Amino acid sequence: MKKIIYVLTLLVLIFAISGCSADYDMGYVDEGSGESNEVRLATNELPDRKIIYDVDIDIDVDQLTEASDTLKTMIASDEWFDQEYIGTNSHRYTIRIKTSRLDDFINELKDEFEVRNYSKVGTDITVEYFDTTNQILALEAQMDRLLELYEDASISDMILINEQISNIEIELQNLNSTINSFDSLVEYSKVELSFYGESDSSRAPFIDRLVNGFLSGIDAFIYVIDGLIVVIATIFPFAIVIGGVSVGVIFYVKKRNKALIKKETPKK
């Protein structure tokens, strides 16, 4: 029993030390100058850089619908739109483009359209990526050792080992989820693209705009008549009551006046 507890404690200490020993010097990528600092790891080998790219591009166009249709032909089958916004004078998109062809995609946009603004920012996550990878390797080694101890453990020791295994499995799930997220962000770059131009309806022929104006006038007329009918229906009950009272008052006054005139008239 004491031996098992000692081994478990030793494994926890080894894991803690291995997690803290991954001491890196952070690198920085400046896409504006095209220069970058070298990322130095604990080992002597330089791994592949893990960089997340974000592109922001504004484009002036003559016809928004035509430009949007052209853009959709530039998107590969394994790429997609995260968001689309279709406005009167602008169309905005958030697109996921494979990083391996990101530069080709941007050059194609520049050849096809008039670019107003453009920026490309790279975030180097090499340190975080390989630190997470090292944590996974350390946890997997610890898991293998616990499984070896489990074979010859007593019932009470098995309970302790199972508890440690459960904690490691949860931590591994979280770390693997982080790695998968990193891989997706590195493989697919985010492109924020905006088209600016006049709406297609404003460029419609005169007859089309005339017809649209006439139809809009009819809609407005129907809307006014509809509102007027609602107002009349609302005040109609009040009109009936007030009208009935008014008629009664007028009838009473006339009858009373006739009676007074008749009474004041001298008999011959």
Side-chain angles (χ1 to χ4, degrees):
M1 176 66 179
K2 291 183 179 180
K3 181 179 178 181
I4 296 295
I5 295 176
Y6 171 76
V7 173
L8 290 174
T9 303
L10 181 61
L11 286 172
V12 172
L13 289 175
I14 292 174
F15 171 68
I17 293 173
S18 64
C20 296
S21 63
D23 184 15
Y24 301 107
D25 292 330
M26 179 67 73
Y28 174 74
V29 174
D30 184 357
E31 289 299 330
S33 63
E35 297 178 356
S36 61
N37 297 328
E38 180 180 0
V39 178
R40 296 187 297 274
L41 301 180
T43 62
N44 293 327
E45 297 180 358
L46 182 65
D48 294 333
R49 303 292 289 272
K50 301 294 181 180
I51 301 176
I52 300 174
Y53 289 104
D54 292 285
V55 174
D56 197 334
I57 185 167
D58 299 331
I59 297 174
D60 292 318
V61 298
D62 293 329
Q63 295 186 2
L64 289 170
T65 301
E66 181 179 339
S68 297
D69 292 341
T70 302
L71 172 65
K72 292 176 182 179
T73 63
M74 299 179 180
I75 307 301
S77 59
D78 55 350
E79 299 168 343
W80 65 92
F81 291 91
D82 275 347
Q83 291 182 345
E84 294 185 46
Y85 168 80
I86 306 300
T88 303
N89 297 315
S90 66
H91 292 181
R92 296 195 293 272
Y93 302 93
T94 300
I95 317 169
R96 291 291 175 177
I97 301 295
K98 294 200 72 171
T99 303
S100 59
R101 80 172 203 98
L102 178 62
D103 290 337
D104 292 337
F105 175 74
I106 294 172
N107 290 332
E108 188 176 359
L109 287 174
K110 291 180 177 179
D111 292 338
E112 185 70 30
F113 303 107
E114 179 182 350
V115 176
R116 179 197 300 180
N117 297 309
Y118 166 75
S119 68
K120 178 182 177 183
V121 178
T123 303
D124 194 332
I125 61 166
T126 307
V127 171
E128 294 89 339
Y129 188 94
F130 285 98
D131 178 62
T132 304
T133 302
N134 289 337
Q135 292 181 50
I136 291 174
L137 293 175
L139 285 172
E140 289 176 345
Q142 187 177 354
M143 176 76 78
D144 292 339
R145 181 56 181 159
L146 287 173
L147 292 175
E148 292 177 1
L149 293 174
Y150 188 85
E151 295 179 356
D152 300 326
S154 62
I155 298 299
S156 58
D157 292 339
M158 287 181 179
I159 295 175
L160 293 175
I161 294 173
N162 280 327
E163 183 178 352
Q164 290 290 324
I165 290 176
S166 297
N167 293 335
I168 292 175
E169 287 177 343
I170 294 173
E171 187 65 20
L172 281 174
Q173 289 178 359
N174 294 332
L175 293 173
N176 282 315
S177 177
T178 300
I179 287 293
N180 291 335
S181 178
F182 282 160
D183 287 337
S184 177
L185 292 173
V186 169
E187 184 177 2
Y188 285 90
S189 298
K190 182 172 74 172
V191 177
E192 298 279 358
L193 186 147
S194 298
F195 286 134
Y196 296 97
E198 297 183 17
S199 61
D200 294 337
S201 59
S202 65
R203 290 182 167 271
F206 173 76
I207 297 299
D208 292 341
R209 288 186 282 119
L210 184 64
V211 171
N212 290 334
F214 178 75
L215 294 176
S216 298
I218 292 178
D219 292 338
F221 177 76
I222 293 175
Y223 178 79
V224 171
I225 296 299
D226 180 74
L228 183 61
I229 292 174
V230 172
V231 171
I232 293 174
T234 302
I235 65 175
F236 186 72
F238 298 96
I240 292 177
V241 174
I242 295 174
V245 173
S246 300
V247 171
V249 170
I250 293 172
F251 179 78
Y252 172 77
V253 171
K254 286 183 176 181
K255 185 177 180 181
R256 183 170 175 272
N257 290 337
K258 286 181 179 181
L260 290 174
I261 293 172
K262 185 177 181 182
K263 183 177 180 180
E264 293 176 355
T265 301
K267 296 182 179 180
K268 294 181 180 182

